[in-house]
Amino acid sequence: MVLRPLICAATLLAATSAYAQSTSGTLVVVPAFGEVVHANDQAVASFSIEEQDKDKAVAASRVNLKMKQGMEIIHREDAQAALKTEGYYTYPVYAEQRPLASGTAAKPQIIGYRVGQSLQVKTVNLAGLPKTAAAAQKVLSLNGLNFGLAPATLRQLDEARIAATYKNLQERIASIAAAMGRNRAEASLDTVDFEGSGNYAGQDRAAAAPMAMKSMRMSEAAAVAEPSFEPGETTLQMNVVAKVRFK
């Protein structure tokens, strides 16, 4: 009567031992993931000015003058902002043409010129951004606005992102070891790929999601009410893939 339980226990122990031995030397590829969230602390605004006149020089002069005025306003409101002029263009404006009686198209006739220029403004002064934008809109048009993280903030968050990813990796290794009936101490890291460059890895999904704003045009003489902005936050993500070998 006592012999049968002893035999069953011995059989179970042997089966468990055989199961554990079947994973000896196994190389396991373990993907892991980590992320950190931080409030956006940088804005990149896009301003522009466009003028049209039958005299190309007159249109260009107005653009040049208003762009200079706009830049001076922005510098006055936000001395730390970084400005970059972009995209100067000059295009002819043609009169609307009606087909001739013969059905052929009439020769295009230039009736004026359209001249414009863009300005990029990068700033970390988000508290003063509505006032700065409203002041600049007296002269320039606000065409777009993106919020994100400043380079210094990205560098600071990188350490936390790596730590979160590595912690998740350790947790997953422990879970896999338990599922295999192995002790966590029996697993050793063979390779750790923080770039996720292997075929087994997903792409790094770190991205700062931009918040776009539609173009707002106001007359030069009119006072402009301050716009409302919500910077939001950015989630930085990281993938890691490790090769873990069990003894």
Side-chain angles (χ1 to χ4, degrees), residues 2-3 210:
V2 179
L3 185 59

Side-chain angles (χ1 to χ4, degrees), residues 132-169:
T132 301
Q137 282 181 285
K138 295 177 182 178
V139 181
L140 306 176
S141 296
L142 177 60
N143 296 328
L145 180 63
N146 292 334
F147 289 105
L149 298 175
T153 305
L154 286 171
R155 288 192 294 270
Q156 293 173 0
L157 292 176
D158 196 46
E159 182 178 347
R161 183 170 55 153
I162 292 174
T165 306
Y166 191 75
K167 179 182 178 182
N168 181 252
L169 173 63

Side-chain angles (χ1 to χ4, degrees), residues 49-63:
I49 181 63
E50 182 178 276
E51 292 289 334
Q52 183 173 321
D53 196 276
K54 63 181 179 180
D55 190 324
K56 180 166 57 176
V58 172
S61 294
R62 289 207 297 262
V63 166

Side-chain angles (χ1 to χ4, degrees), residues 138-219:
K138 295 177 182 178
V139 181
L140 306 176
S141 296
L142 177 60
N143 296 328
L145 180 63
N146 292 334
F147 289 105
L149 298 175
T153 305
L154 286 171
R155 288 192 294 270
Q156 293 173 0
L157 292 176
D158 196 46
E159 182 178 347
R161 183 170 55 153
I162 292 174
T165 306
Y166 191 75
K167 179 182 178 182
N168 181 252
L169 173 63
Q170 293 297 326
E171 293 171 347
R172 301 197 76 179
I173 292 174
S175 298
I176 291 172
M180 294 173 63
R182 302 296 301 273
N183 191 310
R184 170 64 182 87
E186 297 175 323
S188 60
L189 287 173
D190 184 271
T191 303
V192 179
D193 180 9
F194 275 97
E195 292 294 329
S197 57
N199 293 331
Y200 43 73
Q203 296 179 348
D204 186 357
R205 294 174 288 177
M211 186 185 78
M213 295 192 64
K214 294 182 178 180
S215 172
M216 292 176 282
R217 294 184 176 274
M218 303 294 291
S219 64

Side-chain angles (χ1 to χ4, degrees), residues 123-132 226 229 231:
T123 181
V124 294
N125 183 14
L126 301 189
L129 181 59
K131 182 180 178 183
T132 301
E226 292 185 8
F229 301 136

Side-chain angles (χ1 to χ4, degrees), residues 104-141:
T104 59
K107 182 179 179 179
Q109 180 182 359
I110 297 176
I111 59 173
Y113 292 89
R114 189 169 70 250
V115 182
Q117 188 178 18
S118 300
L119 173 68
Q120 181 193 88
V121 179
K122 188 179 296 185
T123 181
V124 294
N125 183 14
L126 301 189
L129 181 59
K131 182 180 178 183
T132 301
Q137 282 181 285
K138 295 177 182 178
V139 181
L140 306 176
S141 296

